[in-house]
Amino acid sequence: MEVLKLFVPYGPAWLGGVLLALIAFYFGRQFLEEYKLQNERKSALDIKREERKQDEVKERAQRDRERSEMEGRIAAQMERSNSLMEAMKTLMESVVASNDVLHSDLVHSQARSQGMAQKVDHICDRVDLLYDKESTR
């Protein structure tokens, strides 16, 4: 009642204005609390989103490291393969050269064998002639 007596000289309009101000203050305070709560939720979601982004960045970096290591191993394997291919190529060239030498030796040996065969035939013919002469005497 004391509060009402304070506003009696100002009239009922002032009392209504004060009541409206108190109601606005009450709902404004609740609105501010809800606004703060929403901001906290948004900031929590933003923090979670940033954490997910950081996790994705770390995961991508890990995949890139693994890919780089794999590419390094592949490059090393290819280098070993290339060196083995070069060694095999050199070996094959050596085998071809060796085969060429053996082939020329074989051709030369065949020519000598034919010459020896002709000499043996000649000697055989001479021996046969001598034998025929001795047997006819």
Side-chain angles (χ1 to χ4, degrees):
M1 276 317 227
E2 288 280 323
V3 173
L4 290 177
K5 287 182 184 178
L6 287 174
F7 289 104
V8 168
Y10 301 111
W14 278 96
L15 182 62
V18 169
L19 284 176
L20 280 175
L22 287 175
I23 291 172
F25 177 75
Y26 174 76
F27 284 113
R29 203 170 78 192
Q30 283 188 349
F31 175 76
L32 284 176
E33 287 177 9
E34 185 64 31
Y35 182 76
K36 287 179 185 177
L37 203 69
Q38 288 292 334
N39 280 343
E40 288 175 5
R41 288 181 195 146
K42 284 182 184 179
S43 67
L45 288 175
D46 288 343
I47 290 171
K48 287 180 183 178
R49 186 178 309 124
E50 289 299 319
E51 287 174 355
R52 279 196 313 269
K53 285 182 182 179
Q54 288 297 324
D55 290 342
E56 289 173 2
V57 166
K58 288 177 186 175
E59 188 176 311
R60 193 174 306 124
Q62 178 66 24
R63 280 195 310 255
D64 289 345
R65 278 192 297 274
E66 290 171 357
R67 187 179 308 120
S68 295
E69 289 174 4
M70 184 64 72
E71 288 172 354
R73 286 191 292 248
I74 289 171
Q77 186 65 29
M78 288 179 69
E79 188 66 33
R80 284 191 296 270
S81 176
N82 287 342
S83 65
L84 285 174
M85 293 284 280
E86 286 295 321
M88 289 294 289
K89 184 178 176 183
T90 304
L91 180 64
M92 288 303 293
E93 289 171 356
S94 164
V95 167
V96 166
S98 176
N99 281 345
D100 289 343
V101 168
L102 288 174
H103 186 267
S104 69
D105 284 348
L106 179 64
V107 168
H108 180 67
S109 176
Q110 284 176 343
R112 283 185 59 210
S113 294
Q114 286 176 353
M116 283 192 259
Q118 288 173 353
K119 285 180 183 177
V120 168
D121 285 342
H122 180 70
I123 291 170
C124 187
D125 288 343
R126 294 283 179 175
V127 168
D128 284 345
L129 275 174
L130 286 172
Y131 182 71
D132 287 341
K133 278 186 185 179
E134 284 295 322
S135 49
T136 54
R137 270 200 223 188

